[in-house]
Amino acid sequence: MSVIPAELSYTTSHEWVSVEGDTYTIGLTDFAQDALGDLVFVNLPMEGDEVVAGEAFADVESVKAVSDVFSPVTGTVVQINEDLLDAPEAINEDPYGAWLVRVEEVSEVGDLLDADAYEAHCAQEA
Amino acid sequence: MKLLFERSVAGRKQTIFPDLDVPEATFDETLVRQSAPRLPQMAEVDLGRHYTELAKQTHGVNDGFYPLGSCTMKYNPRVNEQVAALPGFADIHPLQPEETVQGCLGAMHELEGMLAEICGMDAMTLQPAAGAHGEYTGLLLIRAHHLANGDTGRTKIIVPDSAHGTNPASAVMAGFTVVSVPSDAQGGVDLDALRAAVGPDTAGLMLTNPNTLGLFDPNIVEICQIIHEAGGLCYYDGANLNAVMGHARPGDMGFDCVHVNLHKTFSTPHGGGGPGSGPVGCKAFLAPYLPNPRVVERPDGTLAFSCSEQSVGKVRSFYGNFLVAVRALAYILTLGREGIPEASASAVLNANYLAHFLAEAGYALPYGERCMHEFVIDVGPLKAETGVSAMDVAKRLLDFGVHPPTMYFPLIVHEALMAEPTETESRETLDEFVGLMTGILKEAHEDGERLHSAPFTCPIGRPDEVKAARKPHVRYEFDEEG
Amino acid sequence: MGSYLPETDEGRAGMLAALGLTKSDELFSVIPPEVRIDALDLPEGRSELEVVSHLEALARENRHFDVVLRGAGAYRHHIPSIVKSVTSKEEFVTAYTPYQAEISQGVLQSIFEYQTQICELTGMDVANASVYDGATAAAEGVLMCRDRRRNEVVVAETVHPDVMTVIKTYCASRDVPVVTVPATSDLMVDLDALRAAVGPTTAAVYVQSPNYLGIIEDMDGIVAASHEAGSKVVMGFNPIALGILRTPGEYGVDVAVGEGQPLGLPLGFGGPYLGIMATTKALMRKLPGRIVGETSDAEGRRAFVLTLQAREQHIRREKASSNICSNEALCAMTASVYLAAVGPEGLAQVARLCAGHAHYLAEKLAELGFAPMSDKPFFNEFLTTCPVDAHQLVDQLAEHGILAGLPTHDGILWCATELNTRAEIDRVVSVVKEVCDR
């Protein structure tokens, strides 16, 4: 059973979002990291890049697979978690601490699920 | 086993070069390297033994059965090596005057003609250095054709989901986007999905036939028609040509261009990852776009290089992996008109024989026992029952001196083992392999857990690939003291 | 007819019978009859003896020169005996790509050793397991420098013409504009023109040094101008020259690429050769092709594996930066054995011999009126004027078993290596004199 913090919002493609003021912080859920297996690298966007809700903005690599990470919002990347470039395993170890990017100037927010709805979604996929 | 650098001892050396017999050319300090490269310093005897030890930890075709699917690991005839080493080929400069290289041009011309005949094409180039390089070159021809027709909207290449990963990667390199079409229940191209996928933006289709499941698509003529009617062209990935050479030709099926792998179908050795060679053939209407230069016959019967204004350019320096081409020429000359179809008939027979007896032994064959030159085993049912995966079965085979089949490919069968025995294996070898696989099946049922740690008799156990990728260590780190 | 089938006709009939079949034709029944063929229009198969005779006859139709003074991208060097002896070991020759690490430690370790030697040779941090040749290495090198903001490539006109064409071909299909920078009258990159060409959308500048015409480029100036504008620099190098000349790493370039043929590979009428690629730590994950890494097995034993595979086509498919899979592994091993056999001292010595012989040849030719077309420093190639008709000179030297320099750029591009001894050069010069006096 994967961990799903109640205070976060989620996408059906297994990203989590937390909002503080105008800043949206985005990461991968526990369910996602478990399905992906041991991550070995993360390709992040550059600060200043535009991301679009529903479109891929990063990808994560395991030894034998690459998976896209989709943006829950449309906006501008203001910060990337550079620690992940050297330690991608942080996503496996602490998925809700190992955020990927922070986005501001958000003009659109895609369809998000609350924790209960996301839990139901995961149960369906499992 | 020690690395070269760990065997190095300062001051040891081999006397390869003489002393200077002319005044030394001197260079300004700013142009000179500041520190010597830390290359190994070794006596010849130690260097020789180092590589003999490395050779013992390498599995080649001569070490045992090598049924690596889609790689056509057939025997590499020794005579091919002998002729490729002739100084009259090996020591010829690529920029010698044409009249001094008539033999090289002759070998290229002869091989191009034979490959064109085998593929049902009108023209060939030997320039691409590998299969993927050939794919890229072939797609450049398709791109050039559409652009020459002012057809700038044809931007999409259709690739079935059973294709090799190189197909979509090559399409993108050639400037296209990729449309994937699903396979039908029989493993062939889903015709309805194909019809739905084509349109005015279709540049072409890339297809391997027989496909990576080892199945010949019976709808091949219709598939090519659908693409042609939509205004696209058809590209034949020759990775699996060994199944049909001498029996059917891509050109007759409706394909417009093709690449072949000399290091698969035409017996040239693979060298642990190259050099290969991926000649590209095409129908006459695409020939003006082939890479420059091409070998042409002059009216007086001599041969020359010729360049086309409409050419896509060059994909490699000079003329490709010429000495690989010489090996393939020796092979085709040896087999000839009867030997070529006999080789593929035997390759298909061996694959069907192996498939039949592996099925009898209890392995699941998701697409049935009949196949062309290769077939896919689904280890999924065994895994569900015993926990033993395709990886476990493959790793256990290593203990018996057999190279396992290709693992986890094609992607549409999740626990796939793709086996291609090739024609150069005897019935005894195939029977022994069935025996080994039967034994592994028994082990899986008796103690499946144990197989997760196979192999047991190799120089190393399964390496930690996660560690390798997370903290890449891709060169030897010298001890600063030493 | 020749054949490599171990099974006899009877044996195959027995196998068919075991499958409940009578003719092998039945195995092909799935192929629609309209695309089946009866026979290929090929000659009948031959015995080994006949095949050898046929190919020997073809080889004899080539002119094998005693003396080669032509380089221009392919160089006749001495190949140490141990190189061929090691690289013809059947295990290395007949193995496929080392997918199964447990039975491929030999090949994997040799690639790891090669990668290390290339890093040492070039002064760079990381090398891949090879690409097809120097030209494709250059093309892959400039393409790997692109990012979302920079999608243009600047190439000096002083690079090898085949490399220029291959870069243009690779870039055209990806809609990457290529801007070329002309040479100055002393056959070097025009730095002012380079500065003007490099801008905010330039991803990479490609230069070769020593360049196609033999001259050592002002790499410090080129690197400074490129980096100032935010562009990366890809440098083409000659591996033998690096025995004595400053390395790409010392110049601070971002990617170093080279034609590895001089490291133990025969001329072979152009191939197979070896594409060398090395780069910085920062660009490691953009490097195309295979890379071998060190790790360990469950018992802690050192192990080598193909790594960073998620960059590659078999995983990333249409998102891969390159489609390369088969590369030139055996050629890389050849280079590795070569570098180990000659060692640091031998590599410096062969470089000194090449440069010494070339400078000696240049001096002797100048005395005959073959004036150097640049007074800038060169390594082992140089362009001269030709006081007589260049093609006639080539023909007449050929009659003496000498392959002259390459007629190009309104002159002749000469090359000397360690094989062209003083005695040999003196003989060549006397023949040239004879031809000129005629």
Side-chain angles (χ1 to χ4, degrees):
Chain A
M1 193 64 220
S2 70
V3 178
I4 302 175
E7 68 275 19
L8 301 177
S9 304
Y10 301 89
T11 64
T12 53
S13 50
H14 306 287
E15 291 84 13
W16 58 261
V17 187
S18 79
V19 191
E20 266 178 66
D22 293 337
T23 308
Y24 289 65
T25 302
I26 302 165
L28 281 170
T29 65
D30 188 35
F31 182 92
Q33 72 77 21
D34 189 55
L36 292 165
D38 291 330
L39 295 178
V40 299
F41 194 66
V42 185
N43 281 299
L44 295 174
M46 288 154 80
E47 282 167 17
D49 279 0
E50 304 291 317
V51 295
V52 178
E55 290 187 11
F57 70 97
D59 64 50
V60 289
E61 299 179 358
S62 63
V63 170
K64 300 284 180 195
V66 179
S67 308
D68 283 330
V69 184
F70 297 91
S71 181
V73 300
T74 299
T76 305
V77 176
V78 293
Q79 199 182 354
I80 60 170
N81 186 354
E82 288 183 4
D83 292 348
L84 294 180
L85 299 177
D86 289 323
E89 57 270 27
I91 297 174
N92 293 119
E93 289 157 6
D94 178 16
Y96 298 103
W99 57 277
L100 300 178
V101 294
R102 296 211 161 102
V103 177
E104 289 181 0
E105 294 169 41
V106 169
S107 61
E108 188 200 339
V109 179
D111 293 333
L112 296 180
L113 309 175
D114 64 16
D116 288 343
Y118 181 61
E119 189 176 344
H121 174 69
C122 291
Q124 232 173 15
E125 280 203 4
Chain B
M1 196 192 134
K2 280 187 173 178
L3 291 167
L4 279 176
F5 314 98
E6 294 162 346
R7 294 183 195 271
S8 174
V9 176
R12 287 193 186 159
K13 62 177 177 182
Q14 302 174 37
T15 319
I16 311 278
F17 302 109
D19 292 337
L20 267 178
D21 53 349
V22 291
E24 182 166 354
T26 53
F27 296 94
D28 188 275
E29 193 54 27
T30 59
L31 300 180
V32 174
R33 74 178 292 155
Q34 300 304 303
S35 60
R38 288 168 290 186
L39 299 173
Q41 302 182 48
M42 293 169 78
E44 186 170 327
V45 56
D46 295 327
L47 188 61
R49 284 182 185 159
H50 176 77
Y51 283 105
T52 299
E53 209 177 328
L54 288 187
K56 285 178 186 159
Q57 296 196 10
T58 301
H59 183 97
V61 169
N62 276 20
D63 292 282
F65 190 36
Y66 215 130
L68 186 63
S70 267
C71 299
T72 316
M73 295 302 285
K74 61 171 75 175
Y75 177 69
N76 309 128
R78 291 302 174 265
V79 66
N80 299 356
E81 302 304 307
Q82 184 189 331
V83 295
L86 290 170
F89 292 130
D91 202 24
I92 301 300
H93 194 287
L95 298 176
Q96 285 186 204
E98 278 169 359
E99 61 275 17
T100 70
V101 294
Q102 289 296 304
C104 289
L105 296 176
M108 291 174 73
H109 196 57
E110 193 170 11
L111 179 61
E112 285 175 2
M114 289 175 168
L115 291 175
E117 168 63 17
I118 291 167
C119 296
M121 292 289 151
D122 299 316
M124 296 290 301
T125 175
L126 303 180
Q127 201 175 98
H133 207 204
E135 290 176 20
Y136 172 64
T137 308
L139 290 168
L140 290 183
L141 304 183
I142 292 177
R143 180 184 155 100
H145 165 81
H146 290 314
L147 291 180
N149 289 343
D151 224 347
T152 53
R154 296 198 174 271
T155 56
K156 294 203 163 79
I157 291 284
I158 298 172
V159 180
D161 60 1
S162 62
H164 298 112
T166 47
N167 286 181
S170 301
V172 170
M173 273 183 80
F176 296 108
T177 51
V178 176
V179 181
S180 180
V181 291
S183 305
D184 64 18
Q186 290 75 45
V189 174
D190 184 322
L191 289 181
D192 290 332
L194 184 66
R195 281 195 197 92
V198 298
D201 57 0
T202 300
L205 165 81
M206 296 182 88
L207 194 69
T208 310
N209 191 29
N211 64 16
T212 57
L213 299 165
L215 302 172
F216 190 96
D217 202 313
N219 301 318
I220 189 62
V221 175
E222 196 175 347
I223 290 169
C224 290
Q225 271 168 3
I226 292 170
I227 298 296
H228 284 151
E229 277 162 20
L233 298 182
C234 299
Y235 180 88
Y236 182 88
D237 177 334
N240 293 344
L241 184 66
N242 205 47
V244 296
M245 60 174 183
H247 298 273
R249 310 191 303 174
D252 300 333
M253 297 173 203
F255 288 95
D256 304 289
C257 57
V258 47
H259 88 263
V260 299
N261 298 71
L262 298 187
H263 51 284
K264 295 179 179 176
T265 316
F266 297 100
S267 85
T268 72
H270 200 261
S277 177
V280 165
C282 64
K283 294 286 177 70
F285 72 98
L286 291 174
Y289 310 117
L290 284 169
N292 281 330
R294 296 188 53 216
V295 181
V296 295
E297 199 170 334
R298 289 203 198 96
D300 66 359
T302 60
L303 298 167
F305 281 125
S306 156
C307 288
S308 159
E309 289 277 312
Q310 294 156 277
S311 165
V312 297
K314 279 181 84 64
V315 294
R316 189 198 176 282
S317 59
F318 304 118
Y319 330 112
N321 284 345
F322 173 75
L323 296 179
V324 177
V326 170
R327 291 172 169 91
L329 174 60
Y331 179 73
I332 298 176
L333 286 171
T334 301
L335 266 58
R337 60 185 294 150
E338 323 87 331
I340 295 273
E342 188 182 49
S344 49
S346 300
V348 173
L349 172 60
N350 279 359
N352 278 276
Y353 182 87
L354 204 53
H356 175 76
F357 286 102
L358 285 175
E360 206 174 83
Y363 282 94
L365 300 183
Y367 295 93
E369 279 179 34
R370 288 300 295 277
C371 61
M372 296 301 285
H373 68 306
E374 69 187 0
F375 59 94
V376 172
I377 302 164
D378 184 1
V379 186
L382 181 67
K383 189 177 178 187
E385 213 181 316
T386 67
V388 169
S389 65
M391 167 85 87
D392 297 332
V393 174
K395 295 299 178 191
R396 184 65 178 129
L397 280 170
L398 300 175
D399 281 325
F400 303 101
V402 168
H403 195 293
T406 299
M407 309 184 298
Y408 298 100
F409 194 85
L411 306 175
I412 51 180
V413 177
H414 294 302
E415 289 288 330
L417 283 179
M418 178 171 51
E420 179 181 11
T422 83
E423 71 277 15
T424 58
E425 300 297 339
S426 64
R427 185 172 183 169
E428 301 93 270
T429 305
L430 304 180
D431 289 341
E432 279 164 25
F433 182 72
V434 172
L436 287 178
M437 290 290 280
T438 308
I440 293 172
L441 209 52
K442 195 159 162 263
E443 287 181 341
H445 284 103
E446 284 168 358
D447 186 2
E449 198 58 35
R450 179 169 179 266
L451 290 185
H452 298 326
S453 41
F456 306 107
T457 62
C458 294
I460 57 161
R462 295 186 199 184
D464 183 345
E465 297 191 51
V466 172
K467 176 179 158 189
R470 272 187 184 163
K471 301 278 179 282
H473 181 179
V474 296
R475 57 159 295 172
Y476 177 71
E477 297 298 340
F478 289 89
D479 177 3
E480 286 308 322
E481 309 291 301
Chain C
M1 152 188 107
S3 160
Y4 295 106
L5 305 179
E7 211 43 81
T8 60
D9 291 349
E10 294 73 37
R12 286 199 294 278
M15 291 168 72
L16 278 169
L19 299 176
L21 302 174
T22 50
K23 315 197 298 271
S24 72
D25 229 33
E26 294 168 59
L27 295 166
F28 291 87
S29 57
V30 62
I31 303 181
E34 67 266 33
V35 301
R36 291 284 304 272
I37 54 167
D38 291 331
L40 290 166
D41 182 14
L42 290 180
E44 284 182 15
R46 297 171 213 193
S47 65
E48 175 176 312
L49 189 153
E50 291 166 300
V51 169
V52 170
S53 302
H54 179 83
L55 282 150
E56 281 178 346
L58 272 175
R60 274 195 300 272
E61 284 179 44
N62 294 320
R63 183 72 165 277
H64 182 231
F65 288 96
D66 300 331
V67 178
V68 174
L69 296 172
R70 187 171 292 194
Y75 303 89
R76 187 194 270 180
H77 286 287
H78 173 69
I79 300 175
S81 304
I82 193 165
V83 171
K84 192 66 207 168
S85 126
V86 165
T87 57
S88 50
K89 285 182 190 291
E90 288 178 354
E91 293 87 347
F92 300 143
V93 172
T94 69
Y96 201 74
T97 300
Y99 291 133
Q100 295 290 346
E102 296 86 344
I103 55 164
S104 308
Q105 285 299 294
V107 165
L108 288 162
Q109 180 174 327
S110 93
I111 297 171
F112 185 81
E113 291 170 345
Y114 163 83
Q115 289 171 187
T116 306
Q117 288 170 316
I118 294 305
C119 291
E120 284 295 312
L121 185 69
T122 58
M124 305 298 290
D125 301 328
V126 191
N128 69 9
S130 77
V131 294
Y132 308 130
D133 70 339
T136 53
E140 296 272 18
V142 296
L143 287 171
M144 69 180 260
C145 292
R146 293 175 304 153
D147 62 34
R148 269 164 278 195
R149 286 156 206 179
R150 293 175 175 268
N151 190 46
E152 223 174 271
V153 169
V154 172
V155 183
E157 285 177 9
T158 54
V159 307
H160 192 287
D162 275 8
V163 175
M164 175 71 92
T165 311
V166 172
I167 289 177
K168 284 182 173 170
T169 303
Y170 270 60
C171 287
S173 66
R174 290 191 163 182
D175 292 325
V176 174
V178 177
V179 178
T180 61
V181 177
T184 57
S185 57
D186 48 11
L187 313 179
M188 295 172 76
V189 174
D190 184 333
L191 261 184
D192 291 332
L194 180 82
R195 277 190 205 100
V198 183
T201 54
T202 308
V205 171
Y206 178 69
V207 281
Q208 174 188 331
S209 179
N211 67 26
Y212 179 61
L213 301 171
I215 306 297
I216 301 171
E217 295 277 8
D218 173 13
M219 287 306 303
D220 282 326
I222 291 164
V223 170
S226 308
H227 283 172
E228 239 162 66
S231 169
K232 302 208 161 48
V233 180
V234 182
M235 172 180 167
F237 63 88
N238 172 342
I240 298 288
L242 295 184
I244 50 178
L245 294 187
R246 199 159 158 207
T247 66
E250 288 168 340
Y251 284 118
V253 308
D254 302 281
V255 185
V257 297
E259 176 49 72
Q261 178 269 328
L263 301 176
L265 292 162
L267 288 169
F269 199 54
Y273 286 178
L274 168 68
I276 301 175
M277 288 191 83
T279 188
T280 58
K281 270 207 180 74
L283 287 176
M284 173 174 70
R285 289 179 187 268
K286 291 189 141 192
L287 199 57
R290 298 202 161 115
I291 298 176
V292 170
E294 185 186 319
T295 182
S296 52
D297 70 2
E299 289 177 34
R301 289 176 288 200
R302 178 160 67 185
F304 298 98
V305 290
L306 294 172
T307 193
L308 305 177
Q309 292 192 68
R311 297 165 299 120
E312 293 185 66
Q313 48 76 27
H314 64 283
I315 292 177
R316 206 166 270 264
R317 294 176 80 87
E318 65 262 37
K319 286 182 185 156
S321 61
S322 169
N323 68 347
I324 190 165
C325 29
S326 280
N327 45 75
E328 308 289 302
L330 194 62
C331 302
M333 178 182 274
T334 305
S336 184
V337 183
Y338 179 93
L339 289 169
V342 303
E345 224 177 278
L347 189 69
Q349 181 62 6
V350 67
R352 277 192 290 268
L353 284 161
C354 290
H357 288 159
H359 285 75
Y360 183 74
L361 175 66
E363 187 190 312
K364 294 290 158 188
L365 286 172
E367 288 167 12
L368 299 180
F370 293 79
M373 290 169 71
S374 168
D375 60 1
K376 297 294 180 188
F378 64 93
F379 176 61
N380 73 331
E381 290 184 273
F382 54 96
L383 185 69
T384 69
T385 59
C386 188
V388 293
D389 181 90
H391 290 278
Q392 270 179 24
L393 177 75
V394 168
D395 289 346
Q396 285 167 350
L397 289 186
E399 285 171 22
H400 291 83
I402 300 163
L403 180 62
L406 182 73
T408 183
H409 289 69
D410 296 322
I412 296 194
L413 178 62
W414 300 90
C415 172
T417 71
E418 75 282 6
L419 291 172
N420 309 112
T421 60
R422 179 181 197 133
E424 187 174 286
I425 292 171
D426 288 341
R427 183 173 78 82
V428 169
V429 168
S430 68
V431 176
V432 173
K433 184 166 189 303
E434 217 174 278
V435 171
C436 292
D437 289 347
R438 225 177 267 169

